[in-house]
Amino acid sequence: MKVRLLVPSVAPNSRLHFPFSVLIDDHIAIDTCGLPYLDPIEAQRAVDQILLTHSHIDHVGGLPLFLDNTYRPDHSCPTIYASEATWDAVSKHLLNDVIWPDLEKIADSETPFFKKQIVDVHRPISIDGYQVTAIPLEHVVPTLGYIFQGEGASVLFCWDTAPFPEFENIVAAIPNLKAIFLDASFPNELRWLAEKSEHTTPGQFGQLVAQIPADVRIIAIHLKPGHHDELIDELNQLGLPNLEIADPHTVYEF
Ligand SMILES: [Zn+2]
Ligand SMILES: [Zn+2]
């Protein structure tokens, strides 16, 4: 499994976690904000499976522009997976004929812009050789984490969440777990904001991963760009030997 953190290419040398996508094997994406800036357009057209975690703008905001960039009238459209709650929000508030055209409606009898799939939690689906299982996270709107199980390696993608009690059991049940991409959004002094918006601080992050075996790579992600350096300092102070900060310039292999 090849994983990249895809941030807008308008900042090619930056390490900041601007609203992003995670790209798996160059053709599966989780969330959308890195996608519409991927150059060349052929690299965008190669992305044919997209999973949405939730409805917040820093996760679905790239979707209209990506579909606009990649549409071709030849049935090669991407499949998009999301929970029913996220699809409802996207229909009502994004592809709603105000913020962006209702692409399902305007395609009508023409070739579609996307194929819509509803994801249920704890019900594995098969995507290009991976068994993908959605898990419910603890966030202010319904939000999914995704477990990808491939041959000999599993990875948990888990951002936009407050700490939640089932985390440890979910992690313990994943076979061949090699890595967890885990939310670290706000510095410790903004714990009140992390709590109200249901994200994770480095202090909480340390408690969450305390029981995870040291051979699992813990990769901090969703560091709010305005607090990037402070978050890195606080995460490094945890002294975790298996901690990494997600880096847009690294290709992760599992
Ligand atoms: Zn977010
Ligand atoms: Zn969110």
Side-chain angles (χ1 to χ4, degrees), residues 54 56 58-59 139-141 143 160 199 222:
H54 66 301
H56 281 161
D58 56 330
H59 299 268
H139 197 39
V140 286
V141 294
T143 299
D160 287 63
H199 285 99
H222 201 274

Side-chain angles (χ1 to χ4, degrees), residues 18-253:
F18 290 119
F20 59 84
S21 303
V22 160
L23 191 59
I24 299 165
D25 298 341
D26 296 320
H27 70 100
I28 305 169
I30 306 177
D31 289 335
T32 62
C33 285
L35 287 178
Y37 312 100
L38 187 57
D39 193 6
I41 290 288
E42 285 66 36
Q44 294 187 36
R45 290 212 171 103
V47 180
D48 56 2
Q49 313 283 324
I50 300 169
L51 298 111
L52 306 179
T53 57
H54 66 301
S55 59
H56 281 161
I57 193 75
D58 56 330
H59 299 268
V60 299
L63 186 60
L65 307 177
F66 165 77
L67 294 171
D68 193 42
N69 289 343
T70 57
Y71 180 69
R72 277 191 291 208
D74 63 1
H75 288 281
S76 61
C77 69
T79 302
I80 303 177
Y81 303 80
S83 69
E84 202 152 11
T86 298
W87 274 123
D88 281 352
V90 166
S91 306
K92 274 189 200 127
H93 304 297
L94 188 62
L95 305 179
N96 63 353
D97 277 339
V98 178
I99 301 296
W100 198 254
D102 177 344
L103 297 178
E104 284 188 281
K105 194 172 82 184
I106 68 166
D108 190 23
S109 56
E110 305 295 331
T111 53
F113 283 81
F114 59 89
K115 293 188 205 89
K116 179 174 172 178
Q117 290 282 336
I118 293 175
V119 176
D120 297 316
V121 296
H122 301 307
R123 187 176 295 175
I125 50 178
S126 180
I127 299 179
D128 295 336
Y130 294 107
Q131 180 180 296
V132 180
T133 308
I135 57 163
L137 303 182
E138 188 72 32
H139 197 39
V140 286
V141 294
T143 299
L144 302 177
Y146 290 104
I147 302 164
F148 269 65
Q149 284 177 247
E151 232 168 80
S154 301
V155 178
L156 169 60
F157 299 95
C158 188
W159 50 79
D160 287 63
T161 188
F164 56 101
E166 301 81 17
F167 181 77
E168 204 178 307
N169 289 339
I170 286 171
V171 168
I174 302 173
N176 297 314
L177 181 63
K178 302 295 183 213
I180 303 173
F181 286 81
L182 184 61
D183 187 281
S185 291
F186 290 109
N188 290 326
E189 72 162 344
L190 289 179
R191 181 160 171 159
W192 66 269
L193 184 52
E195 284 176 356
K196 286 192 179 176
S197 62
E198 294 197 288
H199 285 99
T200 303
T201 63
Q204 295 170 316
F205 185 102
Q207 288 164 5
L208 265 181
V209 304
Q211 308 302 324
I212 293 172
D215 60 348
V216 176
R217 294 167 71 177
I218 309 287
I219 304 169
I221 195 168
H222 201 274
L223 279 65
K224 291 282 182 179
H227 302 283
H228 189 81
D229 293 345
E230 202 179 345
L231 282 162
I232 287 178
D233 285 347
E234 291 180 359
L235 287 163
N236 284 334
Q237 281 165 26
L238 296 172
L240 297 166
N242 49 345
L243 175 74
E244 300 166 55
I245 311 294
D247 176 13
H249 306 286
T250 297
V251 177
Y252 296 89
E253 300 267 2

